């Protein structure tokens, strides 16, 4: 027998659940048992609300683990069984993991063979590792196919890496079926709160029916009675395809045997899929509908679902969201192509004529500000802790490019998220905003306030265009100061900066004036449009001082401006001028300058910037208008400034 066992996260309220599917290959035939068992995970690697998803190893079928048993973990030695099970234990290797790693992850499979190498039974262990010791529970397939042995197990690891386990058997429990299911049930696997159960008390159990298909029960035990719901994956000879049935079930325990009475079965609703995946339940796909309390439903209304292709390598897609009338809105998640992480997107569904039509939309997530790069392993919740689509979320969770888990809380309105975030690794908490457009979320993490360059101009026949003393009214960040097409000279200029907390520095500038020349002796040589090394002098105009003349009727002909101090490390100042008989001196000014934002355009080699002379010198041409803006020096400049601001709060 080869055992295929898969585990994936399902959201239930504020807790993550494991959902488990099993594929058994018996003899020469294949029996599919994919009951989508859901049980609360309480072991050390549980999918809890604020924890990154558990890594699932890759193999031919995404996140489906195939046990290949080997007689040793290392090059020498054996894993030994004592107590109610004796002999040498073979370890089920999950695609490269070792036994200790699987034990630390909360589950492991072992096998015991006879002297000829024939497999006698499988043993499943669940529990926790502390140093070199293990404690937990186990289930063991007994010699009778309808019996399972359960009990307590402890383990001790030797210096060479091998384990000795001591098994203490509780008892073997059987199960019989009555009602809508009358076939024999074998290989029961009882669990309670994510741990192997002895069958007396459990909240989930799955069986294999006489044809090798899975029957899954979820509910609760009270005394010697069980009440819950069931899902039955079986084959419909009339349609020639697999079909899922659901219903209610009760059970009674007597003399070590459970007798389950299965209520009237109802078929789960069929579905079609488009977008990221395509197909339908009539072309090999299966969809299992359930609610947050793990009860199964026919799909008329549901909060979670498992979509998988039984005979393909398409992987599983887990839906979580909300059904409102005949529409479903939520998110889907699946493991990436390498099985190394969760990817997720948005999914919507419409119910019509007894069939769901689901559309899967691939969504990407990027970060700017204090956090940069691509965000992965996304999850989304509404205000009540229910999974929802990204465009309706009030809580989000990601893993950033450094591997840190980032939690967001706030609200999403009209595809815009506003709130706070917490980096769980560093404890940093700050503001965050996000915008969704065309399948992409872009988040800005931190109190990033862009520095602003402000300027004001005195113009012939107009005077000062803005209030002289109220800098909040001045032109800023690439706006045009002066006039265009009116043949009016600029006479005076003021330039200032508005900086976020934590960022220091200033601005210096000078003007070439009719009949005067440069007003500062350290001004640049004639325009070369190449960077120059200019030593700041005390005579330069700084931080809002008036450069030029007032009331003398003298034209501005050229100017230069540069940043000083800390801001010059992160930003360039770029500028252009509109000159008599020339127009804008930067030939593509109107096409690329005005239409581009400072945050996204890198300075071009032919822009005037950082102290270069703009305008004319010695041609007696008036300067009529100008524009000035700040541009980050690098892709990380904003993040660095945001960090300075956050530290200064």
């Amino acid at each position: 027998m080869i055992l295929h066992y898969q585990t994936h996260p399902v959201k239930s309220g504020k807790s993550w659940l494991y959902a488990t599917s099993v594929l058994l290959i018996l003899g020469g035939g294949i029996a599919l048992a994919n009951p989508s068992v859901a049980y609360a995970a309480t072991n050390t690697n549980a999918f809890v609300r604020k924890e990154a998803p558990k890594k699932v190893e890759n193999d031919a079928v995404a996140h489906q683990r195939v046990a290949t048993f080997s007689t040793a973990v290392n090059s020498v030695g054996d894993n030994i069984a004592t107590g109610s099970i004796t002999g040498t234990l073979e370890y089920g290797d999950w695609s490269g993991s070792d036994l200790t790693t699987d034990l630390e992850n909360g589950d492991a499979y072992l096998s015991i063979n006879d002297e000829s190498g024939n497999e006698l039974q499988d043993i499943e262990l669940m529990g926790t590792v502390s140093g070199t010791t293990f404690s937990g529970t186990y289930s063991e397939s007994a010699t009778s196919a309808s019996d399972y042995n359960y009990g307590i197990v402890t383990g001790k690891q030797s210096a060479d890496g091998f384990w000795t386990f001591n098994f203490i058997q509780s008892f073997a429990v059987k199960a019989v079926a009555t009602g809508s299911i009358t076939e024999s049930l074998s290989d029961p696997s009882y669990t309670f709160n994510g741990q192997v159960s002895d069958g007396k008390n459990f909240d989930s159990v799955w069986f294999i029916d006489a044809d090798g298909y899975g029957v899954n029960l979820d509910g609760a035990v009270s005394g010697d009675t069980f009440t819950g719901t069931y899902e039955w994956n079986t084959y419909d000879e009339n349609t020639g395809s697999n079909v899922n049935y659901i219903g209610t079930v009760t059970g009674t325990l007597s003399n070590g045997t459970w007798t389950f009475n299965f209520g009237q079965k109802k078929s789960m609703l069929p579905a079609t899929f488009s977008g990221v995946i395509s197909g339908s339940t009539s072309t090999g796909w299966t969809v299992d509908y359930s609610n947050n309390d793990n009860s199964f439903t026919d799909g008329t209304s549901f909060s979670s679902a498992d979509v998988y292709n039984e005979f393909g390598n398409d992987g599983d897609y887990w839906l979580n969201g909300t059904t409102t009338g005949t529409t479903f809105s939520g998110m889907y998640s699946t493991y990436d192509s390498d099985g190394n992480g969760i990817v997720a997107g948005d999914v919507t569904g419409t119910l019509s004529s007894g069939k769901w039509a689901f559309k899967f939309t691939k969504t990407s997530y990027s970060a700017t500000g204090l956090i940069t790069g691509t965000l992965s392993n996304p999850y989304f919740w509404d205000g009540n802790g229910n999974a929802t689509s990204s465009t309706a979320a009030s809580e989000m969770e990601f893993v950033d490019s450094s591997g840190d888990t980032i939690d967001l809380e706030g609200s999403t309105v009209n595809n815009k998220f506003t709130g706070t975030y917490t980096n769980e690794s560093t404890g940093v908490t700050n503001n965050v905003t996000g915008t969704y457009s065309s399948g992409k979320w872009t988040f800005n993490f931190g109190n990033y306030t862009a520095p602003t360059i402000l300027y004001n101009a005195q113009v012939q026949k107009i005077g000062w265009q803005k209030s002289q003393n109220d800098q909040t009214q001045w032109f800023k960040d690439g706006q045009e100061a002066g006039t265009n097409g009116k043949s009016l000279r600029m006479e005076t200029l003021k330039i200032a900066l508005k900086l976020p907390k934590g960022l220091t520095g200033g601005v210096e500038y000078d003007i070439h004036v009719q009949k005067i020349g440069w007003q500062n002796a350290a001004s640049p040589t004639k325009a070369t449009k190449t960077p120059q090394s200019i030593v700041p002098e005390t005579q330069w105009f700084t931080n809002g001082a008036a450069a030029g003349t007032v009331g003398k009727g003298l034209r501005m002909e050229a100017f230069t401006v540069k940043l000083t101090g800390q801001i010059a490390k992160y930003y360039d100042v770029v500028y252009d001028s509109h000159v008599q008989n020339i127009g804008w001196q930067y030939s593509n000014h109107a096409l690329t300058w005005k239409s581009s934002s400072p945050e996204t355009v890198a300075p071009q080699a032919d822009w005037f910037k950082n102290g270069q002379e703009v305008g004319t010198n010695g041609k007696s041409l008036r300067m009529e208008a100008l524009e000035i803006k700040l541009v980050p020096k690098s892709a990380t400049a904003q993040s660095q400034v945001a960090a300075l601001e956050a530290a200064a709060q």
Side-chain angles (χ1 to χ4, degrees), residues 359-379:
K359 182 178 180 180
F360 293 75
T361 302
K362 183 178 181 179
T363 310
S364 62
Y365 315 90
S366 62
T368 62
L370 288 176
I371 301 173
T372 59
T374 300
L375 301 173
S376 61
N377 294 27
Y379 295 105

Side-chain angles (χ1 to χ4, degrees), residues 53-77:
K54 174 181 175 182
K55 176 180 177 181
V56 176
E57 296 79 2
N58 179 39
D59 71 83
V61 179
H63 62 270
Q64 189 173 74
R65 303 188 302 181
V66 180
T68 304
F69 291 102
S70 58
T71 56
V73 178
N74 298 317
S75 57
V76 294

